[in-house]
Amino acid sequence: MSNIFDLAGKTALVTGCKRGIGKAMALALAEAGADVIGVSASLELQGSAVEKEIVALGRKFYAYQCDFGKRENTLEFAAQVKADHPVIDILVNNAGTILRKPIAEHPDEYWDEVIAVNQTAPFILTREIGREMIARGSGKVIFTASLLSFQGGITVPGYAASKGAISSLTKAFANEWASKGVNVNAIAPGYIATDNTSALREDQDRSTSILSRIPAGRWGTPEDFKGPTLFLASAASDYVHGTILTVDGGWMGR
């Protein structure tokens, strides 16, 4: 059974890999044998923590920077990374942002930034890199969705809209690409202890309310995403298409 999860000889591109869930995803792929292309807006081009850990595993790491809030940057990055790495076997669209303000006060700038990073950039990267996957007849694409792919949230309309779109994009890509040997799926994190949720965890009332609704009784950790990522990136998921896999401590089941 171990061979079904073996990624030796594969190359994975992970966006938003500097810390948190994205870093854990990148490490999971490297631990299974893949070389990793990492990109974040502020990722160090040499000597990052994620690079050191991946290299220590005996894998290669290639670092890039890109501000996905600007469409032209995303297009330039896609062209450059394809030129540098003609074969990308696994694409993990994890980069994201969240900006909080009540809807009646939510500025256009917040909306535009969140939609650009969370929705437009993953679409462009998947379209551009997926072309080569289709030509080869194989590939794995993983989007990072959210509980707000299913719910509306509070004070984060752009985030909720973008993550609802990611759910639909996952299915749209899968509908067209499943027959071409490319698996497109998503992971929907629940409430995870990362930078994005620091405001919630620091609000004692909100944190207590959230924990009371999680059957597992705890906030998730980035390490909780290693197994699901490896599953969706490996041959173990070859007949899985268009699925939104919730990693939420049972939140959606409740």
Side-chain angles (χ1 to χ4, degrees):
M1 280 296 292
S2 61
N3 290 340
I4 205 170
F5 296 103
D6 184 13
L7 299 181
K10 303 290 187 182
T11 298
L13 168 58
V14 182
T15 73
C17 70
K18 184 175 180 177
R19 56 185 177 269
I21 292 172
K23 181 181 176 185
M25 289 172 152
L27 287 171
L29 299 174
E31 287 164 0
D35 293 327
V36 177
I37 304 163
V39 57
S40 293
S42 60
L43 180 66
E44 299 91 337
L45 295 180
Q46 288 186 327
S48 67
V50 64
E51 177 179 6
K52 290 175 182 177
E53 292 183 48
I54 286 175
V55 170
L57 293 168
R59 309 312 317 156
K60 295 177 182 176
F61 183 81
Y62 307 93
Y64 292 81
Q65 288 183 351
C66 184
D67 175 5
F68 291 117
K70 296 179 174 60
R71 183 188 300 256
E72 59 269 25
N73 292 352
T74 303
L75 289 166
E76 289 173 7
F77 168 72
Q80 186 63 59
V81 78
K82 287 200 302 179
D84 294 344
H85 306 278
V87 178
I88 297 173
D89 304 285
I90 301 157
L91 170 62
V92 180
N93 287 302
N94 175 71
T97 191
I98 189 167
L99 295 171
R100 301 176 185 276
K101 189 159 281 196
I103 289 177
E105 306 161 17
H106 208 82
D108 291 347
E109 292 79 11
Y110 277 26
W111 175 272
D112 292 343
E113 173 74 10
V114 172
I115 295 297
V117 174
N118 293 7
Q119 179 177 330
T120 303
F123 168 73
I124 290 173
L125 287 178
T126 303
R127 181 190 66 197
E128 297 301 308
I129 292 170
R131 287 195 184 110
E132 279 64 40
M133 293 179 174
I134 290 170
R136 294 192 305 272
S138 67
K140 300 280 186 173
V141 178
I142 304 170
F143 287 97
T144 296
S146 169
L147 291 184
L148 297 197
S149 297
F150 312 101
Q151 302 170 337
I154 299 171
T155 73
V156 288
Y159 187 83
S162 68
K163 293 304 183 177
I166 288 298
S167 173
S168 292
L169 271 178
T170 298
K171 297 166 189 174
F173 275 112
N175 287 344
E176 294 193 31
W177 290 2
S179 64
K180 304 179 188 301
V182 180
N183 297 77
V184 184
N185 295 287
I187 295 173
Y191 287 93
I192 313 301
T194 65
D195 292 347
N196 272 3
T197 60
S198 59
L200 291 178
R201 287 181 286 117
E202 291 165 5
D203 183 328
Q204 190 59 50
D205 291 339
R206 290 290 304 280
S207 180
T208 300
S209 174
I210 288 166
L211 280 173
S212 71
R213 294 181 58 187
I214 299 174
R218 66 172 177 88
W219 289 75
T221 69
E223 286 68 30
D224 290 319
F225 293 84
K226 285 188 169 184
T229 300
L230 180 55
F231 169 64
L232 292 178
S234 69
S237 62
D238 279 352
Y239 198 58
V240 180
H241 297 274
T243 290
I244 315 300
L245 174 59
T246 55
V247 182
D248 63 356
W251 177 281
M252 288 301 295
R254 182 166 181 175

